[in-house]
Amino acid sequence: MSRHAGCSCGCGSPSREQFVDLGTPDPAPRYPSGGASHAIEQVAVPAGIFTMGDSSGDANSGDGELPRHVVRLAEFTIDATPITNDDFARFVAETGHRTEAEVWGFSAVFHLAVAAPPRDVMGPAAGTPWWLGVRGADWAHPGGRDSSLDGLGDHPVVHVSWTDADAYCTWAGRRLPTEAEWEYASRGGLEGATYPWGDDDVYAGGWRANIFQGEFPASNTIEDGFLTTAPVRTFAPNGYGLWQTVGNVWEWCHDWFDPRAYTAAPVTDPRGPSHGQARVLRGGSYLCHSSYCNRYRNSARSSNTPDSSMGNAGFRTAAL
């Protein structure tokens, strides 16, 4: 297993290896298509050309948001929202899928969100002590074994690895969006914009995204109303009708991550490197803040190992 770490500023996520090496789980099963059960509203994103990469000068060193480059994409469809807990529960009910968090027996929980007996807390992630390994934390118990999904059916599913997301896609007859598709869709037709709504700050008379307020990591004032996840249709959709592509939860993409990927990316329908150790995450999460992590932007990139799960990452699906 790789030793690749997640977002180094801490708003991203620790990789599983930052806690402990527990061996190798069984390979994820492959499921027959259950596409009729994938009931999320679809957005048809038109074919087009856009300039991919950081346009605001906010790129984080090492993330590989540069150089900016022209990309041409065919038309595709994408979920209007991330996969919710209710959506994922249907998948689990039909397939019996066990997430990697369940197989490994633990997942990463932000310290202010832990709901578990002290004996379940394994300790902090190396280098990011606000992330705690919690036994019994999984998609159905996002804070640990003392938590549940009561009242969270319309919140994005979390504690799902890239492998779990890919298994859902196989069942749904869909796939994860490529990194280029994700950024193009998040821009909502606003060429060069920093955020899905334009270049105005995340707060302009009201919050536009679910991010961290207060002094990270000790105190969140919850000015936007949410300590962790928000319902997927909170705030406002972008110009294409996509909800919350930035903030709330990081979203897994199809591509392997490479900080040098943009230096030789194909112009037409790029799908990322052919191999790697980590998969791309996009969009930032409820732990992002401009004072230490400005990754709640259209062009921002992060990554983690495909077997890692955490309380601030989910996914949405796409198809041609």
Side-chain angles (χ1 to χ4, degrees):
M1 296 169 64
S2 76
R3 297 292 163 184
H4 175 85
C7 171
S8 59
C9 67
C11 69
S13 51
S15 65
R16 190 171 304 283
E17 294 85 351
Q18 285 175 264
F19 294 106
V20 64
D21 190 346
L22 294 180
T24 303
D26 294 334
R30 308 300 292 182
Y31 303 118
S33 175
S37 298
H38 182 75
I40 296 177
E41 177 190 357
Q42 295 300 294
V43 170
V45 180
I49 298 173
F50 80 109
T51 303
M52 187 173 180
D54 173 52
S55 60
S56 59
D58 292 314
N60 288 284
S61 176
D63 284 356
E65 292 182 52
L66 297 171
R68 298 185 72 208
H69 58 289
V70 172
V71 172
R72 178 184 295 106
L73 294 174
E75 180 179 355
F76 62 97
T77 65
I78 190 168
D79 295 337
T81 70
I83 304 301
T84 67
N85 288 312
D86 283 348
D87 298 319
F88 199 77
R90 282 191 290 273
F91 161 61
V92 170
E94 291 193 22
T95 64
H97 179 81
R98 292 183 70 219
T99 61
E100 292 200 281
E102 293 168 286
V103 172
W104 289 98
F106 79 100
S107 192
V109 181
F110 184 60
H111 74 109
L112 296 179
V114 172
R119 67 179 181 275
D120 285 349
V121 179
M122 300 161 55
T128 52
W130 44 89
W131 281 109
L132 300 175
V134 178
R135 295 185 180 90
D138 56 46
W139 75 274
H141 307 88
R145 72 178 70 247
D146 290 342
S147 64
S148 73
L149 296 181
D150 289 349
L152 301 179
D154 61 349
H155 287 231
V157 67
V158 293
H159 296 294
V160 287
S161 67
W162 185 94
T163 305
D164 296 324
D166 188 53
Y168 178 98
C169 288
T170 298
W171 166 79
R174 297 178 63 77
R175 58 175 174 80
L176 291 172
T178 67
E179 185 176 15
E181 288 172 336
W182 189 97
E183 182 171 326
Y184 183 51
S186 182
R187 291 184 178 281
L190 298 179
E191 177 72 19
T194 304
Y195 307 108
W197 56 83
D199 292 319
D200 293 337
D201 189 69
V202 67
Y203 184 86
W207 291 98
R208 299 173 187 257
N210 177 16
I211 60 172
F212 195 94
Q213 297 91 43
E215 295 186 11
F216 184 87
S219 175
N220 189 340
T221 58
I222 317 179
E223 294 169 32
D224 62 7
F226 306 100
L227 174 64
T228 60
T229 59
V232 295
R233 290 180 182 265
T234 308
F235 309 110
N238 71 5
Y240 286 154
L242 276 70
W243 296 77
Q244 295 203 73
T245 52
V246 302
N248 212 15
V249 295
W250 286 98
E251 298 181 14
W252 290 109
C253 290
H254 159 82
D255 306 39
W256 289 106
F257 177 79
D258 185 335
R260 303 173 300 278
Y262 289 4
T263 61
V267 171
T268 302
D269 294 321
R271 298 184 61 82
S274 60
H275 61 279
Q277 294 183 329
R279 295 283 187 172
V280 170
L281 287 158
R282 283 300 201 117
S285 80
Y286 58 78
L287 294 182
C288 283
H289 189 276
S290 60
S291 67
Y292 63 89
C293 173
N294 60 352
R295 287 176 172 85
Y296 54 96
R297 296 176 289 105
N298 290 324
S299 65
R301 311 175 75 210
S302 190
S303 63
N304 210 332
T305 53
D307 65 345
S308 293
S309 63
M310 46 279 179
N312 68 337
F315 66 104
R316 71 181 77 207
T317 74
L320 292 177

